[in-house]
Amino acid sequence: MSRVYNFSAGPAVLPEEVLKEAADEMLDYRGSGMSVMEMSHRSKVYDGIIKEAEADLRELMNIPDNYKVLFLQGGASQQFAMIPMNLMKNRKAAYIVTGQWAKKAYQEAKVYGDAVEVASSADQTFSYIPDCSDLPIPEDADYVYICENNTIYGTKFKTLPNTKGHTLVADVSSCFLSEPVDVCKYGVIYGGVQKNIGPAGVVIVIIREDLITEDTLPGTPTMLKYKIHADADSLYNTPPAYGIYICGKVFKWIKKMGGLDAMKEHNDKKAKILYDFLDESRLFKGTVRKEDRSLMNVPFVTGNEELDAKFVKEAKEAGFENLKGHRTVGGMRASIYNAMPIEGVEKLVAFMREFEKNNG
Ligand SMILES: *Cc1c(COP(=O)(O)O)cnc(C)c1O
C-alpha cells in the first residue's frame, strides 16, 4: 500500500487513523455482525452513532443549546436554495460575493426573492475580502450571507462582517473545524463535509432555533424544510448514514488531537511553511492579499502557464496529487486541510525549492 500526499480541494484527505478504524469495522461493527452501511438507521446501534457524533460536534464547537445540528444531504449547494426558502420572510437578503460559491448562492437566492449584492471582490478576481465594516445592508434584509473561506480563490474572512443586527449565514465548507468559532455570532453555519470532515454526501447545518419555523416560502418541498429535519433529529428519512458515521470518527480524532485550538495551531504552522516559502520564492507567487489568506486553500502561480503545467505533472510523479488550480483560475492550489500532515507540506516545499532551482 502506498498513499500519496493528497492536496485535493475536495473530496479531500482524511485522517489515516479514521480510515483504518473504519476498515477494521467494515464487516462487523462492534459485534453487531454487520457493516454500518447495512444497518437500519432506526436501530439502537445507529442511534448511538448519530447521537454521539452530534454530541462530539457540540463539544468541539461549543454549540449552545439553542442551536440545532442537522445532518442533511444534497451537499452544500442544496443549501443555496434551502436558506432562502426557509429564511426569506421578507423576501430580501444581503449577499457578500467573494467567489464562485458565494456567487452561486447569490444567484440561487434571486430565484426566491430580492437578493442584494452588498459587496464583492470580483474586480480583482476574488483575490481579497472586501471591507465589510459598514455595508449598505437593507433594513428589512432577512439575513446577511457569506462564504467564510473561499475554496477556489484561497481567501478567508478574518473578521466577520458587521451585519448591523441582521442574522449572519455562513458557508464554512472549506474551513469547518479548522479553528475555534463563536457559534453565537451566526444564525446559520453550514458546510459540505467532504472538504475537512468526511465523505461527500453529508452537509451539516448548525442553525439557531428561532430561525426554524413552519413559515417557509410557498412551494417549499417537505425535504427542504429545516423544521421537518429538526423535529425528527435528522432522521425524517434515511440519512447519509455511513457518511455520518465517518464524520463521527473524525470528530473523535479532532478531540484526541486537542480540539479546535490545537487544530488552529497545527493549521497555522502548516500554512506558514507554505506562505513563507511563496513570499521568498523567485519562481512561485501566492495570488491572495496577505491579510486575507486562507489557512486551508493556498493558490499560487509561476506566471507561466507551461511551467505551471510542468510543475503539476512533475509533482504528481513525485507523489503530490491534485495540485492543479481550479479549472476556472488555472495555476496551482494546495489544499492543506486538518488531515494533511505537516510532513506533507514540508515535503511539498522541498519539492518546490528543487523545481525552482531546476527551472529558475
Ligand atoms: C465545495 C464547496 C461547495 C459545494 O459543495 P457541494 O457539496 O459539492 O455542493 C460550496 N461551498 C464551498 C465553500 C465549497 O468549498
Side-chain angles (χ1 to χ4, degrees):
M1 185 197 72
S2 114
R3 298 209 5 116
V4 297
Y5 289 112
N6 180 7
F7 292 93
S8 170
V13 57
L14 287 171
E16 210 165 285
E17 238 177 277
V18 164
L19 297 176
K20 279 186 181 148
E21 234 181 75
D24 285 343
E25 293 173 349
M26 183 58 77
L27 296 181
D28 176 8
Y29 177 76
R30 300 186 187 175
S32 66
M34 58 180 97
S35 170
V36 174
M37 251 183 262
E38 302 170 300
M39 211 171 261
S40 165
H41 59 293
R42 309 276 175 210
S43 66
K44 214 171 148 202
V45 181
Y46 191 75
D47 200 57
I49 292 173
I50 191 168
K51 291 254 162 64
E52 202 165 316
E54 177 176 339
D56 285 335
L57 180 63
R58 283 186 174 278
E59 189 185 325
L60 277 173
M61 293 180 72
N62 204 5
I63 301 174
D65 289 341
N66 63 326
Y67 284 75
K68 286 274 188 199
V69 173
L70 309 176
F71 295 98
L72 307 178
Q73 307 192 47
S77 299
Q78 183 153 282
Q79 295 305 309
F80 298 170
M82 209 161 160
I83 286 158
M85 283 177 148
N86 285 269
L87 265 51
M88 264 190 178
K89 315 291 181 198
N90 298 328
R91 298 235 180 182
K92 190 169 281 187
Y95 278 73
I96 299 172
V97 179
T98 51
Q100 287 199 33
W101 295 119
K103 190 171 169 194
K104 280 190 172 164
Y106 164 59
Q107 285 168 337
E108 186 73 8
K110 282 207 266 193
V111 174
Y112 302 101
D114 186 7
V116 185
E117 182 186 275
V118 291
S120 165
S121 52
D123 61 334
Q124 289 175 47
T125 339
F126 300 119
S127 60
Y128 70 102
I129 298 290
D131 177 4
C132 297
S133 58
D134 185 19
L135 297 174
I137 297 165
E139 287 272 329
D140 57 345
D142 294 299
Y143 58 87
V144 176
Y145 182 101
I146 61 168
C147 177
E148 192 161 330
N149 184 80
N150 296 280
T151 325
I152 296 172
Y153 301 94
T155 59
K156 160 99 205 295
F157 280 84
K158 301 292 165 81
T159 43
L160 294 174
N162 175 3
T163 64
K164 302 185 174 172
H166 296 82
T167 297
L168 180 64
V169 175
D171 174 356
V172 300
S173 295
S174 50
C175 59
F176 225 154
L177 302 183
S178 63
E179 57 184 275
V181 287
D182 185 355
V183 175
C184 297
K185 292 190 173 145
Y186 304 79
V188 180
I189 300 176
Y190 79 90
V193 304
Q194 73 272 26
K195 308 286 162 70
N196 213 9
I197 302 180
V202 184
V203 58
I204 297 175
V205 179
I206 301 162
I207 177 168
R208 213 175 55 225
E209 269 168 1
D210 61 283
L211 298 170
I212 305 173
T213 67
E214 311 258 11
D215 178 26
T216 57
L217 295 185
T220 300
T222 305
M223 273 293 286
L224 298 189
K225 293 178 179 174
Y226 289 128
K227 189 159 187 351
I228 287 286
H229 296 286
D231 287 351
D233 292 327
S234 301
L235 294 170
Y236 167 70
N237 71 326
T238 320
Y242 193 81
I244 294 168
Y245 153 78
I246 299 289
C247 292
K249 288 200 178 299
V250 173
F251 300 154
K252 291 233 183 282
W253 175 78
I254 297 175
K255 276 174 68 176
K256 207 174 90 185
M257 298 282 286
L260 298 189
D261 286 310
M263 273 298 134
K264 166 121 170 80
E265 202 180 307
H266 164 71
N267 290 326
D268 272 335
K269 218 185 263 177
K270 284 186 298 181
K272 185 171 182 333
I273 293 170
L274 192 45
Y275 284 125
D276 281 355
F277 172 70
L278 289 173
D279 289 343
E280 69 170 54
S281 170
R282 281 170 295 107
L283 182 62
F284 297 101
K285 267 175 226 42
T287 56
V288 169
R289 185 165 78 182
K290 279 189 189 175
E291 52 275 35
D292 301 324
R293 284 169 163 177
S294 165
L295 288 183
M296 299 278 99
N297 311 98
V298 182
F300 55 94
V301 295
T302 64
N304 173 333
E305 271 180 42
E306 270 167 43
L307 211 50
D308 286 353
K310 182 168 187 255
F311 175 79
V312 170
K313 181 169 170 284
E314 291 181 10
K316 186 180 165 69
E317 285 160 10
F320 305 101
E321 289 270 354
N322 293 311
L323 282 165
K324 198 170 183 316
H326 191 268
R327 61 188 188 282
T328 57
V329 293
M332 281 75 72
R333 172 180 48 173
S335 294
I336 49 176
Y337 296 118
N338 286 351
M340 172 59 65
I342 199 154
E343 308 85 67
V345 180
E346 284 167 348
K347 286 183 181 165
L348 173 65
V349 166
F351 178 82
M352 288 168 78
R353 270 188 213 288
E354 192 61 25
F355 186 89
E356 176 171 318
K357 218 166 62 193
N358 299 334
N359 296 272

